């Protein structure tokens, strides 16, 4: 019963939403190539200068290295724990199963500020020095959920008898893993890992509570925007962060073929919010 | 006398070593007794059906034979060898799963060739045998498709081919047609029988699970009627249908037409009853009853009448619509009728096992 006018109306609404989401991103990406230090539209000239500048800055390099390390570590932990948890929830019916599932999902619904504060008090209480590993622990709280969700969704969509079918056809445990379990789960694992990495790479809120004096790349961006320093360099960094988060998310989407993956706002839109919010200061 | 004739028609279990043999097999899940002391012997090449209502232990029995479950008690033998403790991959048995369980990332040919590949059969021979079996299940040329690109009936055939290509000693099928619609299901029943006859010379034994009594009666060489984890009766379709040993079998295989006469229980099949207008005569006859038609169900080819008996209880009568129209049939509601049957069609049954069980 869809009429021509509703179709046009919906089309316009969709375009408006996409523009709302992407225009700020495109703007900040354009500013990264602006030859002037004053942010005004249209940009006054085209240059790669700010990328060189950013790359030569030891502080930028240090925070980039930290962000990459944290992202990789959090992703690795998420892959192991998330997969194990999904397998347990899928395979076994045990007392408190629903509760465990809820507790696993909770961190993603909980505001980052709560997670961050809770972790911070916990580390204080336990006398744990803030280090790279406290950041990793903070990020793991939501990265685990991403992998858990992806793997569980894949398991639920697969026939529960696949493993039995393989064994039935003469395959032992290793052959079944290699030819059935791994191929069926691998794309879900890669997608979950990429999403987890993208989330970790641009996380700000939990990080501020678990990083102490350390600076990850998003924190570096935030600090500089707040102080109104080196804005062109920051734009160049934001450009890179957007690519590093958008690309894995896109690949992950392709791999899982579904759009309903639970996450805390897309990584890219958060980067944009942080960057444009500062640009107006 | 008649019973003995039928026993002779049964494939020669006991003379040869049976292909499948279960001795006192019991399996529990917590408090639930899924299989409660089952004894079975299935001969080589036989089409044997496990028939019973949902939850009666058919699937569990099949899974015990496949090796997915271990029995708490009892022994499972394949071709005379005790396999009770062996894992699925070292039993010469293949399963067709109810949801087919095709590997989604593999093509049809890779799915079908999986068992051969696992056993190290070379690529060349694998190709030949896969092509050959795809012809048997009438899916030639679909080898490169992925399972998602197939219809339900085609997936069913792939699942069958994937199991048959290995020439297992025993093929297990758990409600393989359950997911198909009625028309396709009837076609596949015939198709499955054709395939079974085609592979019988290789000696593949079919063990088939269904809750559909018609399917069991039309397809099986012999069948076992399951109830609450136990076997109520084993026999040929004709024997089980015509001479149910107890009230449960009589009720589950066919309609439960139960008559009580002088402390004994009998059952009469609905199509064996002749129904005429009540003339008031022959009321003392053991093989007759009078009553009033309570319900009429017109089913096109035949009509089912439910008759309330004057002596209490009810009988279901089925009549072909030979010369009856639907309106005539439906008009019969409320009419008084005389029901008669031949003495040999009133089969005495033992009371249902549950009653026995309670008295213990
Ligand atoms: N894995 C299991 N865990 C617990 N109970 C089970 C399991 N499998 C089967 N059962 C129970 O065992 C009984 C027999 O089940 P099943 O063999 O599946 O029956 P059928 O195939 O005849 O429907 C049922 O009561 C069922 O609930
Ligand atoms: Mg079942």
């Amino acid at each position: 019963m869809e009429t021509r006018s509703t179709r046009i109306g919906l089309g316009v609404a969709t375009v408006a939403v996409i523009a709302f989401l992407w225009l700020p991103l495109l703007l900040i990406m354009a500013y990264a190539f602006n030859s002037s230090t004053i942010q005004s539209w249209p940009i006054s000239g085209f240059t790669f200068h700010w990328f060189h500048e950013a790359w030569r800055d030891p502080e930028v390099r240090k925070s980039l290295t930290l962000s990459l390390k944290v992202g990789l570590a959090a992703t690795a932990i998420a892959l192991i724990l998330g997969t194990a948890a999904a397998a347990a929830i899928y395979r076994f019916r045990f007392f408190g199963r629903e509760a465990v599932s809820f507790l696993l999902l909770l961190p993603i619904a909980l505001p980052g500020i709560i997670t961050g504060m809770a972790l911070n008090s916990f580390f204080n209480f336990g006398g744990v020095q803030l280090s790279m590993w406290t950041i990793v622990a903070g990020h793991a709280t939501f990265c685990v959920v991403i992998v858990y969700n992806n793997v569980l969704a894949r398991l639920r969509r697969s026939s529960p008898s696949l493993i039995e079918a393989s064994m039935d056809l003469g395959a032992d445990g290793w052959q079944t893993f290699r030819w059935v379990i791994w191929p069926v789960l691998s794309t879900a694992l890669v997608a979950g890992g990429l999403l987890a990495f993208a989330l970790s790479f641009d996380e700000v809120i939990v990080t501020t509570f678990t990083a102490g004096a350390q600076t990850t790349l998003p924190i570096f961006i935030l600090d500089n925007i707040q102080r109104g320093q080196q804005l062109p360099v920051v734009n160049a960094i934001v450009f890179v962060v957007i690519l590093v988060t958008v690309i894995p998310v896109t690949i992950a989407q392709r791999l899982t073929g579904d759009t309903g993956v639970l996450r805390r706002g897309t990584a890219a839109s958060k980067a944009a919010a942080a960057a444009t919010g500062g640009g107006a200061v | 006398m008649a019973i003995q004739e039928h026993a002779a028609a049964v494939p020669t279990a006991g003379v040869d070593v049976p292909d499948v043999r279960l001795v006192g097999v019991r399996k529990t899940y917590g408090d639930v007794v899924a299989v409660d002391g089952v004894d079975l012997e299935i001969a080589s090449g036989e089409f044997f059906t496990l028939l019973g209502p949902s939850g009666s232990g058919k699937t569990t029995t099949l899974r015990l034979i496949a090796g997915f479950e271990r029995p708490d008690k009892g022994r499972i033998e394949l071709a005379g060898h005790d396999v009770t403790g062996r894992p699925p991959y070292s039993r010469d048995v293949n399963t067709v799963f109810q949801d087919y369980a095709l590997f989604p990332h593999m093509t049809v040919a890779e799915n079908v060739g999986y068992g051969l590949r696992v056993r190290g059969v070379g690529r060349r021979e694998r190709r030949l045998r896969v092509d050959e079996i795809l012809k048997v299940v009438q899916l030639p040329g679909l080898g490169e498709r992925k399972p998602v690109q197939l219809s339900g009936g085609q997936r069913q055939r792939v699942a069958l081919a994937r199991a048959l290509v290995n020439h297992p000693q025993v093929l297990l099928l758990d409600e393989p047609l359950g997911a198909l619609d009625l028309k396709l299901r009837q076609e596949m029943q015939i198709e499955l029988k054709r395939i079974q006859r085609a592979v019988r010379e290789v000696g593949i034994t079919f063990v088939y699970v269904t809750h559909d009594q018609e399917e069991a009666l039309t397809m099986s060489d012999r069948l076992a009627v399951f109830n609450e984890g136990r076997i109520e009766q084993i026999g040929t379709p004709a024997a089980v249908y015509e001479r149910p040993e107890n009230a449960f079998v009589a009720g589950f295989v066919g309609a439960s037409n139960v008559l009580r006469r002088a402390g004994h229980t009998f059952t009469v099949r609905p199509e064996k009853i002749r129904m005429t207008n009540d003339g008031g005569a022959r009321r003392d006859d053991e093989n007759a009853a009078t009553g009033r038609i309570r319900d009429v169900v017109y089913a096109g080819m035949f009509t089912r009448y439910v008759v309330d008996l004057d002596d209490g209880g009810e009988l279901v009568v089925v009549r072909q619509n030979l010369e009856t129209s639907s309106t005539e049939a439906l008009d019969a509601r409320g009419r008084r009728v005389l029901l008669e049957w031949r003495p040999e069609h009133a089969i005495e049954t033992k009371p249902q096992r549950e009653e026995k069980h309670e008295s213990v």
Side-chain angles (χ1 to χ4, degrees):
Chain A
M1 289 314 277
E2 137 188 333
T3 66
R4 198 179 145 76
S5 58
T6 53
R7 209 173 331 152
I8 291 173
L10 285 173
V12 169
T14 309
V15 170
V17 169
I18 289 176
F20 173 73
L21 289 175
W22 283 89
L23 275 182
L25 283 179
L26 294 178
L27 192 66
I28 201 91
M29 288 167 95
Y31 281 154
F33 301 97
N34 191 357
S35 60
S36 159
T37 57
I38 298 151
Q39 300 197 346
S40 63
W41 192 257
I43 60 172
S44 52
F46 186 86
T47 177
F48 282 114
H49 175 72
W50 307 119
F51 288 90
H52 285 282
E53 194 92 326
W55 184 243
R56 289 216 318 268
D57 186 334
E59 239 188 287
V60 174
R61 285 206 190 193
K62 222 177 108 198
S63 48
L64 174 67
T65 316
L66 182 62
S67 273
L68 288 175
K69 277 196 202 157
V70 168
L72 290 176
T75 304
I77 291 173
L79 284 174
I80 295 166
L81 296 185
T83 308
I89 293 284
Y90 177 72
R91 268 298 288 279
F92 304 111
R93 250 151 266 282
F94 50 86
F95 178 74
R97 179 168 170 270
E98 296 310 312
V100 169
S101 176
F102 176 73
L103 289 176
L104 276 164
L105 289 171
L106 193 61
I108 207 135
L110 223 52
I113 197 153
I114 308 258
T115 310
M117 278 176 59
L119 280 168
N120 188 275
S121 340
F122 178 74
F123 292 142
N124 267 333
F125 176 79
V128 180
Q129 288 290 316
L130 296 183
S131 67
M132 181 188 115
W133 293 106
T134 53
I135 309 179
V136 170
H139 288 193
T141 58
F142 53 85
C143 289
V144 168
V145 186
I146 295 298
V147 174
Y148 167 80
N149 258 329
N150 265 279
V151 173
L152 192 61
R154 178 64 51 90
L155 286 173
R156 291 205 165 131
R157 260 192 296 162
S158 311
S159 157
S161 337
L162 288 183
I163 293 169
E164 286 184 349
S166 172
M167 297 268 195
D168 186 71
L169 290 162
D172 58 27
W174 167 242
Q175 289 170 316
T176 299
F177 177 79
R178 192 168 130 214
W179 285 327
V180 177
I181 300 176
W182 173 248
V184 166
L185 285 188
S186 60
T187 52
L189 284 173
V190 172
L194 286 171
L195 282 172
F197 182 81
L199 277 187
S200 162
F201 193 73
D202 79 339
E203 214 287 334
V204 175
I205 303 169
V206 175
T207 315
T208 52
F209 287 95
T210 50
Q214 308 163 92
T215 314
T216 62
L217 206 56
I219 302 261
F220 175 89
I221 295 172
L222 198 61
D223 283 351
N224 281 283
I225 287 173
Q226 277 168 347
R227 282 187 248 136
Q229 287 173 348
Q230 327 184 48
L231 286 183
V233 172
V234 169
N235 286 338
I237 298 170
V238 167
F239 183 87
V240 174
V241 172
I242 290 174
L243 287 191
V244 169
T245 53
V246 167
I247 291 172
V249 171
T250 314
I251 297 175
Q253 201 107 359
R254 281 276 163 81
L255 285 176
T256 52
D258 55 25
T259 47
V261 185
L262 183 65
R263 47 186 117 95
R264 322 179 132 197
T266 68
S269 65
K270 268 176 31 183
T276 48
V281 173
Chain B
M1 205 48 225
I3 293 169
Q4 239 129 53
E5 274 162 34
H6 270 282
V10 169
T12 50
V15 175
D16 291 332
V17 180
D19 236 9
V20 181
R21 182 168 181 191
L22 272 61
V23 186
V25 170
R26 182 183 160 90
K27 173 76 190 171
T28 55
Y29 297 102
D31 295 341
V32 181
V33 185
V35 173
D36 192 5
V38 159
D39 297 295
L40 261 186
E41 285 194 2
I42 304 173
S44 177
E46 206 176 358
F47 194 118
F48 192 93
T49 299
L50 314 182
L51 172 69
S54 175
S56 58
K58 310 178 298 288
T59 297
T60 307
T61 305
L62 213 63
R63 291 173 60 80
L64 285 162
I65 299 172
F68 300 134
E69 309 282 354
R70 298 277 160 85
D72 302 334
K73 255 196 231 154
R75 199 168 70 245
I76 297 167
E77 290 173 15
L78 294 174
H81 300 288
D82 188 341
V83 298
T84 315
R86 288 221 218 136
Y89 50 82
S90 60
R91 298 185 185 199
D92 194 6
V93 166
N94 286 127
T95 306
V96 176
F97 292 84
Q98 180 163 17
D99 65 357
Y100 313 144
L102 299 179
F103 305 124
H105 55 289
M106 296 184 195
T107 63
V108 166
E110 283 166 347
N111 262 287
V112 175
Y114 186 81
L116 301 173
R117 177 170 157 203
V118 162
R119 292 207 181 85
V121 175
R123 185 181 293 257
R124 264 274 217 51
E125 195 191 333
R126 224 156 64 204
R127 261 269 289 287
L128 286 176
R129 283 175 65 178
V130 168
D131 285 348
E132 187 190 346
I133 200 76
L134 283 179
K135 262 184 234 144
V136 172
V137 299
Q138 299 192 325
L139 285 180
L142 289 190
E144 293 318 304
R145 297 252 190 110
K146 285 280 182 73
V148 287
Q149 297 170 295
L150 302 177
S151 70
Q154 289 172 326
R155 280 181 213 176
Q156 166 64 60
R157 286 162 200 260
V158 174
L160 201 57
R162 184 176 70 176
L164 283 174
V165 75
N166 308 298
H167 292 315
Q169 196 175 352
V170 181
L171 182 71
L172 306 175
L173 305 102
D174 190 358
E175 312 221 6
L177 309 182
L180 305 178
D181 61 52
L182 182 65
K183 191 153 180 303
L184 196 53
R185 194 158 73 226
Q186 288 169 343
E187 279 169 27
M188 280 304 294
Q189 285 175 6
I190 295 167
E191 180 68 11
L192 206 56
K193 265 317 263 190
R194 183 188 65 75
I195 293 168
Q196 188 245 338
R197 290 201 190 94
V199 297
R200 186 158 49 191
E201 59 217 59
V202 199
I204 303 181
T205 304
F206 279 49
V207 183
Y208 190 93
V209 163
T210 183
H211 62 261
D212 181 337
Q213 51 124 342
E214 198 181 308
E215 197 165 286
L217 292 175
T218 52
M219 298 179 78
S220 324
D221 293 324
R222 283 193 309 149
L223 55 98
V225 182
F226 273 67
N227 180 28
E228 297 184 344
R230 286 190 247 183
I231 294 179
E232 298 280 358
Q233 188 172 356
I234 300 181
T236 61
V240 171
Y241 185 78
E242 288 169 6
R243 282 180 304 285
E245 279 175 11
N246 59 41
F248 177 83
V249 177
F252 191 74
V253 185
S256 60
N257 270 350
V258 179
L259 284 166
R260 277 175 232 289
R261 291 283 149 93
H264 294 269
T265 327
F266 297 86
T267 184
V268 195
R269 292 299 177 197
E271 72 281 6
K272 304 285 194 204
I273 299 175
R274 195 149 58 104
M275 185 169 75
T276 50
N277 288 332
D278 182 8
R282 303 184 54 182
R283 229 165 251 215
D284 52 342
D285 191 337
E286 270 218 325
N287 295 303
T290 52
R292 187 180 294 281
I293 297 180
R294 186 181 76 219
D295 232 332
V296 180
V297 182
Y298 178 76
M301 215 186 287
F302 57 88
T303 304
R304 195 178 287 120
Y305 303 85
V306 183
V307 180
D308 280 330
L309 301 183
D310 295 338
D311 304 342
E314 63 174 44
L315 282 180
V316 176
V317 180
V318 168
R319 256 209 331 204
Q320 277 219 309
N321 293 325
L322 197 60
E323 280 159 354
T324 327
S325 72
S326 62
T327 35
E328 279 165 355
L330 292 168
D331 276 351
R333 206 179 306 233
R335 193 172 294 165
R336 289 203 53 79
V337 287
L338 170 68
L339 306 178
E340 293 167 295
W341 51 88
R342 291 189 358 212
E344 68 266 32
H345 288 151
I347 312 296
E348 178 161 10
T349 55
K350 285 175 268 177
Q352 201 158 340
R353 202 204 52 218
E354 283 153 288
E355 293 162 26
K356 235 173 24 185
H357 200 60
E358 271 163 13
S359 66
V360 172

